[in-house]
Amino acid sequence: MELQLTIFVILIFLVLAWNSALLWGIYREASRAAAKASRCSEEYASLHTNLKSVLREAESASERAVDWSARARERALGLDAEIERTQNWLRFGLAKVEFRMDRFSDDVASGTDRVKAAVSKPLFRFGSILHGVRAVLESLSSDEDVLRESEQSAPRTGPVPIPERRRG
């Protein structure tokens, strides 16, 4: 029986040692997890503080943007009459410029028609005269060619004078 009691005490000792080691391991891991959790909570608190400040700044910027857009809308509504008056003034100015350009274009067209009428008749007459002179010169040149051909084909007995012709 003593042996059984000794085995029983040894087994109890082993179970207690195992449980102690197990509890020590659980405690160690729990303390590590708690340290990590406290670091995470510190980072979360820092992030939360930064996020709060960013959100406050964004809210402030949004309020300013709303205020500026309301002021811009009021100014735009106040400028409607001024813009319309400016547009009417610009339209009138453009109409004046267009009228002046049309009148200038008409003046240029009538001037070119007058110059064309004044220059075309004398040029046509001058061209007709030149055409006539050219025809006469071609006729004379063909007469000289005929005369030269006849001289070359005729026997040479002596110099044959070529009569001079008037040019004019």
Side-chain angles (χ1 to χ4, degrees), residues 5-25:
L5 192 59
T6 308
I7 292 176
F8 179 71
V9 171
I10 291 175
L11 286 176
I12 289 178
F13 176 76
L14 286 176
V15 167
L16 285 176
W18 173 252
N19 285 341
S20 297
L22 187 62
L23 285 176
W24 180 78

Side-chain angles (χ1 to χ4, degrees), residues 25 118 128 131:
S128 297
H131 183 70

Side-chain angles (χ1 to χ4, degrees), residues 144 161-167:
E144 285 181 6
I162 299 175
E164 289 189 25
R165 296 190 179 140
R166 287 189 201 176
R167 294 185 185 187

Side-chain angles (χ1 to χ4, degrees), residues 129-144:
I129 291 171
L130 283 180
H131 183 70
V133 168
R134 182 176 172 204
V136 168
L137 288 177
E138 285 179 0
S139 166
L140 289 177
S141 116
S142 67
D143 287 347
E144 285 181 6

Side-chain angles (χ1 to χ4, degrees), residues 78-97:
L79 290 176
D80 253 356
E82 184 69 26
I83 289 172
E84 189 170 335
R85 193 176 75 223
T86 304
Q87 285 178 339
N88 288 336
W89 178 76
L90 288 173
R91 285 185 192 123
F92 179 71
L94 286 174
K96 280 176 30 179
V97 168

Side-chain angles (χ1 to χ4, degrees), residues 94-113:
L94 286 174
K96 280 176 30 179
V97 168
E98 184 179 5
F99 177 74
R100 287 181 183 165
M101 289 300 292
D102 285 342
R103 195 167 59 191
F104 176 74
S105 174
D106 292 342
D107 291 346
V108 168
S110 67
T112 55
D113 290 342

